[in-house]
Coordinates of all heavy atoms in Angstrom, one line a residue:
N126 N 52.3 18.9 -40.4 CA 53.4 19.1 -39.6 C 53.3 20.7 -39.2 O 54.0 21.1 -38.3 CB 54.7 18.9 -40.2 CG 54.9 19.6 -41.5 OD1 53.8 20.1 -42.1 ND2 56.1 19.7 -42.1
R127 N 52.4 21.5 -39.8 CA 52.3 22.9 -39.5 C 50.9 23.1 -38.8 O 50.4 24.2 -38.9 CB 52.5 23.7 -40.7 CG 53.8 23.7 -41.3 CD 54.1 24.8 -42.2 NE 53.0 24.8 -43.3 CZ 53.3 24.4 -44.5 NH1 54.5 23.9 -44.7 NH2 52.4 24.5 -45.4
K128 N 50.3 22.1 -38.3 CA 48.9 22.2 -37.7 C 48.8 23.2 -36.7 O 47.9 24.0 -36.6 CB 48.5 20.8 -37.3 CG 47.0 20.8 -36.9 CD 46.6 19.5 -36.6 CE 45.1 19.4 -36.2 NZ 44.6 18.0 -35.9
S129 N 49.8 23.0 -35.7 CA 49.6 23.9 -34.5 C 49.8 25.4 -34.9 O 49.1 26.2 -34.3 CB 50.7 23.5 -33.5 OG 52.0 23.6 -34.0
S130 N 50.7 25.8 -35.7 CA 50.9 27.1 -36.1 C 49.7 27.6 -37.0 O 49.2 28.7 -36.7 CB 52.2 27.3 -36.9 OG 52.1 26.6 -38.2
T131 N 49.1 26.8 -37.7 CA 48.0 27.1 -38.4 C 46.8 27.4 -37.5 O 46.0 28.4 -37.7 CB 47.5 26.0 -39.5 OG1 48.6 25.7 -40.3 CG2 46.3 26.4 -40.3
I132 N 46.6 26.5 -36.5 CA 45.5 26.8 -35.5 C 45.7 28.1 -34.8 O 44.8 28.8 -34.7 CB 45.5 25.6 -34.6 CG1 45.1 24.3 -35.3 CG2 44.5 25.8 -33.4 CD1 45.1 23.0 -34.3
Q133 N 46.9 28.4 -34.4 CA 47.1 29.6 -33.7 C 46.8 30.8 -34.7 O 46.2 31.8 -34.3 CB 48.5 29.7 -33.2 CG 48.9 30.9 -32.4 CD 50.2 30.9 -31.7 OE1 50.9 29.9 -31.8 NE2 50.5 31.9 -31.1
T134 N 47.3 30.7 -35.8 CA 47.1 31.8 -36.8 C 45.6 32.1 -37.1 O 45.2 33.1 -37.1 CB 47.8 31.6 -38.1 OG1 49.2 31.4 -37.8 CG2 47.6 32.7 -39.1
S135 N 44.9 30.9 -37.4 CA 43.5 31.1 -37.6 C 42.7 31.7 -36.4 O 41.8 32.4 -36.5 CB 42.8 29.8 -37.9 OG 42.9 28.8 -36.9
Y136 N 43.1 31.4 -35.2 CA 42.5 31.9 -34.1 C 42.7 33.4 -33.9 O 41.8 34.1 -33.6 CB 43.0 31.2 -32.8 CG 42.3 31.7 -31.6 CD1 41.0 31.3 -31.3 CD2 42.9 32.6 -30.8 CE1 40.3 31.8 -30.2 CE2 42.2 33.1 -29.7 CZ 41.0 32.6 -29.3 OH 40.3 33.1 -28.2
M137 N 43.9 33.8 -34.3 CA 44.3 35.3 -34.2 C 43.4 35.9 -35.2 O 42.9 37.0 -35.0 CB 45.8 35.4 -34.4 CG 46.6 35.0 -33.3 SD 46.4 35.9 -31.9 CE 47.2 37.4 -32.4
R138 N 43.2 35.4 -36.4 CA 42.5 36.1 -37.4 C 41.1 36.2 -37.1 O 40.3 37.1 -37.3 CB 42.7 35.4 -38.7 CG 44.2 35.6 -39.2 CD 44.3 35.0 -40.6 NE 45.6 35.2 -41.2 CZ 46.0 34.9 -42.3 NH1 45.2 34.4 -43.2 NH2 47.3 35.1 -42.6
S139 N 40.5 35.1 -36.5 CA 39.1 35.1 -36.2 C 38.8 36.1 -35.1 O 37.7 36.6 -35.1 CB 38.7 33.7 -35.7 OG 39.3 33.4 -34.4
S140 N 39.8 36.4 -34.2 CA 39.5 37.4 -33.2 C 39.5 38.8 -33.8 O 38.9 39.8 -33.2 CB 40.6 37.4 -32.1 OG 41.8 37.8 -32.8
A141 N 40.0 39.1 -35.0 CA 40.0 40.3 -35.6 C 39.1 40.3 -36.8 O 39.3 40.9 -37.9 CB 41.4 40.8 -36.1
R142 N 37.9 39.6 -36.7 CA 37.0 39.4 -37.9 C 36.4 40.7 -38.3 O 36.1 41.6 -37.4 CB 35.8 38.5 -37.5 CG 35.2 38.8 -36.3 CD 34.2 37.7 -35.8 NE 33.5 38.0 -34.7 CZ 34.0 37.8 -33.4 NH1 35.2 37.3 -33.3 NH2 33.3 38.1 -32.3
P143 N 36.2 40.9 -39.5 CA 35.8 42.2 -40.1 C 34.3 42.4 -40.0 O 33.8 43.5 -40.2 CB 36.1 42.1 -41.6 CG 36.1 40.6 -41.9 CD 36.5 40.0 -40.6
Y144 N 33.4 41.4 -39.5 CA 32.1 41.7 -39.6 C 31.5 42.1 -38.2 O 30.3 42.3 -38.1 CB 31.4 40.4 -40.0 CG 31.9 39.1 -39.3 CD1 31.3 38.8 -38.0 CD2 32.8 38.4 -39.8 CE1 31.8 37.7 -37.3 CE2 33.3 37.3 -39.1 CZ 32.7 36.9 -37.9 OH 33.2 35.9 -37.2
N145 N 32.3 42.2 -37.3 CA 31.8 42.6 -35.8 C 32.4 44.0 -35.6 O 33.4 44.0 -34.9 CB 32.2 41.6 -34.9 CG 31.5 41.8 -33.6 OD1 30.7 42.8 -33.4 ND2 31.7 40.9 -32.6
N146 N 31.8 45.1 -36.1 CA 32.3 46.3 -35.8 C 32.2 46.8 -34.3 O 33.0 47.4 -33.8 CB 31.8 47.3 -36.7 CG 32.0 47.0 -38.2 OD1 33.0 46.5 -38.5 ND2 31.1 47.4 -39.1
V147 N 31.2 46.4 -33.7 CA 30.8 47.0 -32.4 C 31.9 46.5 -31.4 O 32.3 47.2 -30.5 CB 29.5 46.4 -31.9 CG1 29.2 46.9 -30.5 CG2 28.4 46.9 -32.9
A148 N 32.3 45.3 -31.5 CA 33.2 44.7 -30.5 C 34.6 44.6 -31.1 O 35.4 43.7 -30.8 CB 32.7 43.3 -30.0
A149 N 34.9 45.6 -31.9 CA 36.3 45.6 -32.5 C 37.4 45.6 -31.6 O 38.4 44.8 -31.7 CB 36.4 46.8 -33.5
I150 N 37.4 46.4 -30.6 CA 38.5 46.6 -29.6 C 38.6 45.3 -28.8 O 39.6 44.6 -28.7 CB 38.3 47.7 -28.7 CG1 38.4 49.0 -29.5 CG2 39.4 47.7 -27.7 CD1 38.1 50.3 -28.8
S151 N 37.5 44.8 -28.3 CA 37.6 43.6 -27.4 C 37.8 42.4 -28.2 O 38.5 41.5 -27.7 CB 36.2 43.5 -26.8 OG 35.1 43.3 -27.7
S152 N 37.3 42.3 -29.5 CA 37.6 41.2 -30.2 C 39.1 41.0 -30.6 O 39.6 40.0 -30.7 CB 36.8 41.2 -31.5 OG 35.4 41.2 -31.2

Side-chain angles (χ1 to χ4, degrees):
N126 57 341
R127 294 196 303 261
K128 184 176 180 181
S129 60
S130 62
T131 303
I132 292 176
Q133 184 174 357
T134 303
S135 65
Y136 182 77
M137 292 291 290
R138 293 188 180 182
S139 66
S140 65
R142 54 188 179 275
Y144 50 84
N145 192 359
N146 296 333
V147 178
I150 297 177
S151 60
S152 299

